[in-house]
Amino acid sequence: MKLLTNTTLKAALLVLLTIAATASVRAQDARIQTSQLDALAAKASETVDVNIDESLMQMTARFLSSKDPDEAKVKALVNGLKGIYVKSFEFESEGQYSAADLESIRVQLRGSAWSKVVNINSKKEGSIEVYLMHVAGNINGLAVLAFEPKEIMVVNIVGPVDLEKLSDLEGNFGVPVLGIEYPRAKRKN
Amino acid sequence: MKQAIASMLIVVGLMVTTPPAQAKGEGFNEVVKLIEQFYHVKHQGVPLLARAGIKTATTVARISGGPRRQIAEAGSVKVAYFEDQDFRSVAGYPQFKAQMGTALATNWSPLIQVASPKEQEQTYIYLQDAGEKFKVLVVTVEPRDACVVQVTLSPQTLAKLMQTPDEMGNLITTDATKDE
């Protein structure tokens, strides 16, 4: 009976450890879910949905030339990235998306690994929130939530992000030009 | 003897006129069929357009070798046009997008989907890893026209196009359908 109890306890401990390990792996995954926003497409005047997954990122990095200066720059930019995901909706009128829609994104960014590094609230320019995921001292992902009365946009970059080069990524790979000055990305004049 | 020759001619004729069977999940045929069913339209095949003087890249790629570089690999282009038909739908863009996603879910990955419901314009780009090459499926739907293009690209070409995925659909469609 004692042997049975010990075996059961060991098995339970193993299950708990497996669950904990799985949760830890998930926690370190910087991919955020945006499919809950898809219902907004029915009300939007324009929608954009970009999905560049890890295999495509790796393929792009592998086949861009290191000798061509332009391609080499982009190659360095995307090397190691595991995905770029962009989703945006533009509307004809205000009030087409709700606070709950924004919250469905923010709630995923409240984990201990995420931290909000930029928070801009402007009635004229709109609001921009930038979140970084830190794992073991490294940046492992980035999320941008940008919204104004007639527009909502989510940008999610998964993988090691070099903040110094991040602004160079804007305008490439479907990443919109946001004009954000990322922390530590400020250039000396 | 005459009967044997006649039978042979019939067999050869059938081989020439019957299109090759498409594997399930091929993509191109499913999407063409989906557009026809969803919008109640009919596509025009390449021969009709070729007769009208429009050369597709299939023809061009087959005879290529000149200095102009094709985006698509030679002989890999499939094109289906829907011209001057009504692409307004009560069900609308979200439902069409969902149905296309279902049709292509097995073998294709969505790269970019752009829609302007007000302008009634939609562009979809799907990718499929085909070993050493990549298949790219571009679907464009406008108020009166639509076009489905499937091309095979080298990874080098795709890597270059990936930098501006929003322009990729236009580049591939233009390349596959332009007059020579």
Side-chain angles (χ1 to χ4, degrees), chain A residues 44-47 49 51 71 173, chain B residues 93 111-113 115 117 160 163:
Chain A
S45 59
E46 180 157 329
T47 72
D49 197 346
N51 295 278
E71 287 189 25
F173 298 96
Chain B
Y93 149 75
L111 173 66
I112 184 163
Q113 301 170 322
K160 285 189 174 80
Q163 292 171 56

Side-chain angles (χ1 to χ4, degrees), chain B residues 2-178:
Chain B
K2 277 182 183 173
Q3 224 174 5
I5 292 171
S7 303
M8 229 162 72
L9 283 173
I10 290 169
V11 171
V12 170
L14 281 172
M15 282 168 70
V16 171
T17 53
T18 310
Q22 297 292 329
K24 184 82 180 156
E26 176 78 13
F28 181 81
N29 284 356
E30 273 96 333
V31 169
V32 171
K33 201 180 286 179
L34 173 66
I35 292 173
E36 289 184 334
Q37 288 171 352
F38 193 89
Y39 291 105
H40 307 292
V41 292
K42 280 278 173 199
H43 80 277
Q44 286 103 49
V46 171
L48 181 71
L49 291 154
R51 278 201 297 277
I54 298 169
K55 291 179 183 173
T56 69
T58 314
T59 316
V60 175
R62 205 176 290 140
I63 59 167
S64 68
R68 196 171 70 79
R69 183 179 164 78
Q70 291 285 323
I71 290 177
E73 297 290 292
S76 76
V77 183
K78 293 180 182 178
V79 182
Y81 295 92
F82 299 79
E83 285 189 311
D84 200 23
Q85 299 179 70
D86 190 0
F87 288 90
R88 285 171 299 180
S89 161
V90 179
Y93 149 75
Q95 196 162 341
F96 179 70
K97 181 188 173 189
Q99 288 190 20
M100 189 150 65
T102 306
L104 299 173
T106 318
N107 297 315
W108 294 84
S109 306
L111 173 66
I112 184 163
Q113 301 170 322
V114 181
S116 305
K118 192 189 167 196
E119 311 292 332
Q120 295 182 24
E121 291 177 358
Q122 305 169 54
T123 302
Y124 304 85
I125 304 176
Y126 279 81
L127 297 179
Q128 186 185 102
D129 189 343
E132 292 176 357
K133 308 254 168 80
F134 282 84
K135 286 182 183 173
V136 183
L137 186 67
V138 181
V139 182
T140 315
V141 180
E142 292 174 2
R144 297 294 302 172
D145 303 294
C147 185
V148 181
V149 177
Q150 184 180 307
V151 296
T152 306
L153 302 182
S154 69
Q156 287 87 352
T157 306
L158 182 59
K160 285 189 174 80
L161 291 172
M162 283 291 298
Q163 292 171 56
T164 50
D166 42 344
E167 291 171 16
M168 187 194 285
N170 194 26
L171 281 171
I172 290 172
T173 304
T174 304
D175 188 72
T177 57
K178 72 180 146 198

Side-chain angles (χ1 to χ4, degrees), chain A residues 89-108:
Chain A
F89 303 90
E90 278 180 44
F91 306 96
E92 288 274 283
S93 55
E94 296 182 12
Q96 298 300 307
Y97 68 88
S98 66
D101 292 319
L102 298 174
E103 196 56 23
S104 74
I105 301 297
R106 286 193 190 111
V107 74
Q108 299 175 66

Side-chain angles (χ1 to χ4, degrees), chain A residues 29-49:
Chain A
D29 185 358
R31 176 83 195 270
I32 57 169
Q33 293 304 312
T34 56
S35 57
Q36 69 279 11
L37 300 178
D38 287 348
L40 296 173
K43 298 183 276 184
S45 59
E46 180 157 329
T47 72
V48 176
D49 197 346

Side-chain angles (χ1 to χ4, degrees), chain A residues 101-156:
Chain A
D101 292 319
L102 298 174
E103 196 56 23
S104 74
I105 301 297
R106 286 193 190 111
V107 74
Q108 299 175 66
L109 304 167
R110 291 212 181 100
S112 55
W114 287 100
S115 56
K116 195 195 278 187
V117 292
V118 174
N119 189 15
I120 301 166
N121 274 304
S122 160
K123 279 185 182 173
K124 196 179 171 188
E125 306 278 328
S127 300
I128 299 178
E129 299 170 13
V130 181
Y131 300 81
L132 293 178
M133 173 181 260
H134 294 271
V135 175
N138 298 314
I139 297 169
N140 214 32
L142 172 140
V144 178
L145 175 60
F147 55 96
E148 47 188 280
K150 294 182 190 175
E151 190 173 353
I152 177 168
M153 178 189 295
V154 182
V155 179
N156 185 200

